[in-house]
């Protein structure tokens, strides 16, 4: 019985500092929605946190999930009870449509006894980049697209999503009736109403990369439309599967 009690007390002694370290960094909020912003704008927000431990806290790594997100953060150690911040900026140039980006924050406490690593915190920004007019994009028949191809780069097994923008530049409505997929497994979400003259809409594509055979994919999405000038229109999706090593 005494041996068991000693083991329990020893566990408590070693677990207590770790539990304190886990709760040392408290953010007021870990998510922020920009709502709608205009393409080309750089939208920024600041996440604030408080050091609730008995030792200074230092941010050791602030890593965004993509190059379009630029973070800045408190570089000096934050004293107990004091506040620090992480500012996240999103560059919307060339990135129309909805977005969701993460920034991973790692930190540690600093004391005479040594440092204690804290649990990482994920900060998330979301929003929608609005475009009122497409110009200079690839045109197929009466419809202009922001792009007719998208490269996902290196991806892992799962689901990757991209949103094409399409605008009716013709003189009569065009309906996107259906989409045929060649070379992969893709879910295509088309507008459910016709594109009237000047209308700007989204075509969302989701690739199931778990179904990819080999090291890469090259998928064609052929749209069946009511456009008299060009009834069939094509979009291309490419990517490279991440290496297991």
């Amino acid at each position: 019985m005494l041996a068991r009690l000693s083991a329990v007390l020893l566990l408590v002694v070693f677990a207590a500092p770790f539990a304190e370290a886990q709760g040392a960094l408290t953010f007021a909020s870990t998510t922020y929605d920009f709502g709608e912003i205009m393409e080309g704008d750089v939208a920024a927000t600041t996440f604030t946190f408080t050091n609730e431990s008995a030792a200074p806290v230092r941010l050791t790594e602030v890593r965004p999930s993509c190059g379009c997100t630029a973070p800045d953060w408190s570089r000096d150690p934050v004293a107990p009870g004091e506040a620090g911040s992480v500012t996240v900026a999103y560059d919307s140039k060339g990135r129309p449509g909805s977005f969701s980006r993460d920034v991973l924050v790692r930190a540690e406490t600093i004391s005479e006894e040594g440092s204690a690593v804290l649990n990482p915190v994920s900060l998330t920004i979301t929003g929608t980049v609005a475009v009122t007019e497409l110009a200079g994009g690839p045109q197929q028949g009466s419809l202009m697209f922001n792009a007719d191809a998208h490269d996902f780069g290196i991806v892992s097994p799962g689901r990757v999503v991209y949103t094409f923008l399409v605008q009716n530049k013709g003189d009569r409505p065009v309906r996107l009736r259906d989409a045929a997929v060649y070379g992969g497994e893709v879910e295509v979400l088309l507008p459910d109403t016709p594109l009237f003259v000047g209308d700007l809409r989204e075509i969302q594509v989701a690739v199931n990369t778990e179904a990819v055979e080999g090291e890469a994919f090259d998928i064609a999405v052929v749209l069946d439309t009511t456009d008299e000038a060009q009834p069939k229109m094509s979009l291309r999706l490419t990517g490279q599967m991440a290496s297991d090593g």
Side-chain angles (χ1 to χ4, degrees):
M1 180 67 180
L2 181 60
R4 183 179 177 183
L5 181 58
S6 298
V8 172
L9 290 175
L10 186 63
L11 179 61
V12 171
V13 168
F14 279 99
F18 182 70
E20 179 183 88
Q22 283 194 338
L25 206 64
T26 302
F27 279 84
S29 176
T30 57
T31 61
Y32 186 80
D33 184 5
F34 287 108
E36 186 174 274
I37 61 176
M38 297 305 297
E39 183 181 6
D41 290 348
V42 177
T45 188
T46 298
F47 296 91
T48 58
F49 64 86
T50 303
N51 177 9
E52 296 184 348
S53 74
V57 167
R58 175 175 58 203
L59 302 188
T60 57
E61 181 184 17
V62 180
R63 188 176 74 234
S65 58
C66 79
C68 58
T69 306
D72 191 19
W73 61 94
S74 301
R75 307 286 176 162
D76 297 328
V78 178
E82 296 298 320
S85 64
V86 175
T87 298
V88 180
Y90 180 75
D91 186 357
S92 66
K93 183 178 180 181
R95 298 181 175 91
S98 58
F99 66 89
S100 178
R101 297 292 185 269
D102 297 322
V103 175
L104 186 66
V105 179
R106 298 184 187 275
E108 64 181 11
T109 59
I110 311 165
S111 66
E112 295 180 357
E113 291 75 21
S115 61
V117 177
L118 307 179
N119 280 345
V121 177
S122 182
L123 307 176
T124 302
I125 57 171
T126 57
T128 302
V129 179
V131 179
T132 57
E133 184 74 21
L134 292 182
Q139 188 158 341
Q140 301 183 41
S142 301
L143 303 185
M144 178 176 288
F145 298 82
N146 65 314
D148 56 11
H150 178 71
D151 184 9
F152 287 101
I154 299 176
V155 299
S156 299
R159 186 173 182 266
V160 291
V161 179
Y162 180 73
T163 301
F164 290 96
L165 293 182
V166 56
Q167 188 166 36
N168 186 353
K169 297 286 189 176
D171 56 7
R172 63 187 64 189
V174 174
R175 178 183 288 274
L176 304 181
R177 294 186 292 204
D178 199 4
V181 177
Y182 303 92
E185 195 174 300
V186 182
E187 179 185 352
V188 183
L189 185 61
L190 298 174
D192 55 5
T193 57
L195 276 73
F196 293 94
V197 176
D199 277 358
L200 181 68
R201 302 288 183 82
E202 295 183 350
I203 300 174
Q204 186 181 91
V205 293
V207 179
N208 177 16
T209 60
E210 292 182 347
V212 172
E213 297 181 1
E215 299 179 352
F217 59 88
D218 191 339
I219 302 170
V221 177
V222 179
L223 305 175
D224 178 30
T225 80
T226 60
D227 185 20
E228 295 180 357
Q230 186 174 334
K232 302 291 185 182
M233 305 179 188
S234 297
L235 304 173
R236 184 182 177 192
L237 305 167
T238 56
Q240 185 80 25
M241 297 303 297
S243 172
D244 293 338

